[in-house]
Amino acid sequence: MAGRMQSIVDVHVLFFNEQDECLFIRRANTGYKDGQYSLVAGHLEPGETIKGCAVREAAEEVGAIVDANDLVLSGVMRRDADQNRISFFLTCHRWQGQIINNEPDKCDDLVWQPLPHLPDPMVDYVQEALKSICKSEILSDFIPG
């Protein structure tokens, strides 16, 4: 009998500006999907809430000060990767501070773009999650081909 599946949890933030454009970051020097666009994101730490993770990552990656009450769940994805992963996608329309690249060692571009138009190339599972979110599908699965 197989053991229970364990999952790694990550949290992504969809920042939307006043023009209803979404913020994308291009990964660099991380060893994972470098050169591809993604969202502000990070791994959930022990004892941390999902919204708490989003608040922390927003400050660390782009200098945005976010109130957890301004985050809205927009999607959850279960995905197969090196291990089973659960990805939460939270939307944010309000924050304090100016969006800047706070981690130039891990990100080499920030771009605002309206959905469903996505920058290219895009991290595959993030692209699929955003397609689901645009169709108001909150739950999705991603199994790479």
Side-chain angles (χ1 to χ4, degrees):
M1 183 166 137
R4 291 181 188 243
M5 182 167 55
Q6 295 185 1
S7 300
I8 294 173
V9 177
D10 48 62
V11 179
H12 299 68
V13 183
L14 289 80
F15 283 98
F16 285 95
N17 63 19
E18 292 177 358
Q19 293 76 38
D20 207 31
E21 297 167 317
C22 185
L23 177 67
F24 295 95
I25 65 169
R26 187 169 56 199
R27 300 180 58 83
N29 306 312
T30 67
Y32 177 75
K33 308 280 187 181
D34 291 333
Q36 297 182 29
Y37 286 92
S38 189
L39 301 167
V40 168
H43 294 105
L44 187 69
E45 294 182 357
E48 188 173 45
T49 66
I50 292 165
K51 286 185 174 184
C53 178
V55 167
R56 176 179 53 79
E57 290 294 342
E60 287 177 2
E61 293 188 15
V62 294
I65 307 304
V66 175
D67 183 324
N69 294 318
D70 290 328
L71 295 166
V72 177
L73 179 66
S74 52
V76 179
M77 172 180 273
R78 190 212 57 87
R79 61 190 174 95
D80 287 336
D82 53 336
Q83 293 177 288
N84 186 65
R85 294 183 180 256
I86 304 293
S87 300
F88 289 88
F89 293 83
L90 304 174
T91 300
C92 182
H93 289 273
R94 189 169 43 195
W95 62 89
Q96 293 181 351
Q98 183 177 356
I99 299 284
I100 59 169
N101 183 358
N102 241 9
E103 294 185 328
D105 56 321
K106 296 180 183 177
C107 169
D108 66 3
D109 191 29
L110 300 177
V111 63
W112 293 94
Q113 201 153 322
L115 295 181
H117 306 290
L118 303 175
D120 189 44
M122 186 87 197
V123 172
D124 53 3
Y125 78 89
V126 174
Q127 180 175 341
E128 291 304 311
L130 292 173
K131 286 179 184 178
S132 294
I133 290 167
C134 286
K135 294 187 286 186
S136 298
E137 296 172 357
I138 294 175
L139 294 176
S140 61
D141 288 284
F142 180 73
I143 302 167

